[in-house]
Amino acid sequence: MENKDTVALSDKLIATYLAYRFLGTAFFEAPTVDLLKQLQQDDLFADWPLEGTNDALKTGLETLQAFFHGWQAEDFDAVRRDFARLFIGPGHLPTPPWESVYRNEERLIFDKQTLQVRLLFRQFGMVVPTVRHEPEDHFGLEMLFVAHLCQVALEGIRTDQPYHTDIALAALDSFFSEHIGQWAPAFLADVKEAAQTPYYRGLSWLASGSIQHTLEAWHIESDSVAST
C-alpha cells in the first residue's frame, strides 16, 4: 500500500522525467516537421509538467507558445538551420553542447568530464544513442540522464526496493551539483544569445528555468546560478 509520501515522490519524479525527457530530446536530436507539428497540436508549453514557475520558465514557455501560435510547416527550414548552426556545424559552433568544453581552459571535447559522465551512464544502465557518436557529456544526453535516473527511482518505488530509489536520488543530487550546475548556465546563456529562432531561444530559457526549478524543488546545492 502506497503512503502519501510515496505518492508525492512518484508524482514529482514523473513530472521531472517528462520535463527532462523532452529537453534532452529537443537539444540532442535534430528537429523534424512532425515533432514541431505535434508540439503545436499538443500545446505542451501551456501545461509544462513541473509545478510552480520562475522568471526563466515563464519566459521560455511564453516564447515557445508565441512561436507555435504562428508557426507553419513552411517555416521549418529556419529551425533546422538554427539547430545545425548552434550544435552540429560545419564550421565554428557558437554554442558547443559539451560539458568538457565549458570546464577546461583549452575548451576541448573528450576531457575528464566526458569520462565521468560515461561511467555514470554505464553505472545506471543508460543506453546512449549512437547515431552521431557524440561525447557523452552532450547537454541533451545529460538531460536524458536526469530522466533516466527518475525512471530508476520510480522502478524502485514500484518494486518496493527503496535502496534503488535512494541510490538514484543521490545520483540525481550529485549529477546536478557536480555536472549540470557547473556548466549549463553558461551554455544556455550562450544559446539565448546566439539562437536565431524563437524556438531555440525559448528552449534555452525553458531549460534554464527547469534546472533552477529542480535545484530548488529537490534542495540541491550548486555553485552556479541556473537562471543565468
Side-chain angles (χ1 to χ4, degrees):
M1 187 84 175
E2 291 184 325
N3 58 44
K4 290 182 179 180
D5 289 342
T6 301
V7 172
L9 176 58
S10 295
D11 289 345
K12 190 175 178 181
L13 285 166
I14 291 169
T16 305
Y17 166 82
L18 292 172
Y20 282 86
R21 181 71 189 177
F22 170 75
L23 291 171
T25 301
F27 277 92
F28 184 72
E29 297 182 5
T32 65
V33 173
D34 288 343
L35 170 64
L36 268 63
K37 284 182 177 178
Q38 192 66 49
L39 291 173
Q40 187 178 47
Q41 178 180 326
D42 294 346
D43 201 12
L44 169 67
F45 307 111
D47 190 24
W48 189 240
L50 300 179
E51 291 186 1
T53 189
N54 53 55
D55 289 344
L57 261 179
K58 183 179 179 182
T59 299
L61 292 171
E62 289 178 350
T63 301
L64 289 163
Q65 284 179 283
F67 168 75
F68 279 108
H69 180 72
W71 184 80
Q72 297 180 2
E74 291 78 9
D75 304 325
F76 172 70
D77 278 349
V79 175
R80 177 185 56 79
R81 287 194 301 269
D82 210 18
F83 176 83
R85 188 183 62 84
L86 291 168
F87 309 130
I88 302 294
H92 170 74
L93 296 181
T95 58
W98 306 287
E99 178 181 353
S100 55
V101 173
Y102 280 83
R103 296 190 65 185
N104 69 69
E105 293 182 0
E106 294 80 14
R107 293 181 69 81
L108 302 174
I109 61 173
F110 290 108
D111 203 11
K112 64 181 181 180
Q113 290 81 19
T114 309
L115 178 59
Q116 292 168 352
V117 171
R118 180 184 301 165
L119 291 174
L120 282 169
F121 288 3
R122 290 178 180 174
Q123 178 183 351
F124 285 92
M126 176 168 143
V127 178
V128 178
T130 57
V131 176
R132 297 202 309 268
H133 301 286
E134 289 279 359
E136 285 85 348
D137 59 345
H138 187 288
F139 180 76
L141 292 177
E142 293 197 358
M143 297 292 98
L144 290 173
F145 184 57
V146 173
H148 181 76
L149 288 174
C150 291
Q151 281 187 304
V152 174
L154 283 164
E155 182 64 12
I157 293 172
R158 187 188 69 82
T159 58
D160 196 22
Q161 299 183 75
Y163 172 76
H164 293 291
T165 299
D166 291 344
I167 290 294
L169 293 177
L172 189 71
D173 186 301
S174 62
F175 193 65
F176 270 93
S177 60
E178 297 173 13
H179 290 280
I180 293 173
Q182 298 299 319
W183 76 286
F187 165 69
L188 292 170
D190 286 347
V191 178
K192 292 167 197 169
E193 182 175 348
Q196 294 181 351
T197 60
Y199 181 66
Y200 283 104
R201 194 175 306 114
L203 284 177
S204 64
W205 279 109
L206 183 63
S208 292
S210 296
I211 291 170
Q212 180 183 346
H213 179 281
T214 301
L215 293 175
E216 294 171 355
W218 294 94
H219 306 292
I220 298 170
E221 295 185 3
S222 175
D223 295 334
S224 299
V225 180
S227 58
T228 299

